[in-house]
Amino acid sequence: HDIDLKLVRLSTSDLVFKFTYPQIASCGRLVQKPNYFAFITEPDHASCQSGYMCHVFYGPRLDQVRDLLSNISDGFQRTSFTV
């Protein structure tokens, strides 16, 4: 999506998490283990949670991991015009 990132359960399409791009503080992967990738989110101030959360995932295909991280990083630029 253009202004948010949604994580859904593939088997049921249930929404697990939804983050707007301004909540995503960082994303990346390790050079030594490129199939593992992560992004860090800021707390949702409406929920009164504190602290940052790191979401770590494994992708079996490197091209999909690269594309996903590229889409997340592109989201930073898209939302800079809407904030």
Side-chain angles (χ1 to χ4, degrees), residues 55-66:
H55 309 270
V56 181
F57 300 93
Y58 172 83
R61 294 184 39 201
L62 290 177
D63 59 331
Q64 288 178 337
V65 171
R66 183 183 58 246

Side-chain angles (χ1 to χ4, degrees), residues 36-48:
Y36 289 90
F37 63 98
F39 61 91
I40 297 171
T41 57
E42 296 178 349
D44 179 8
H45 298 293
S47 68
C48 299

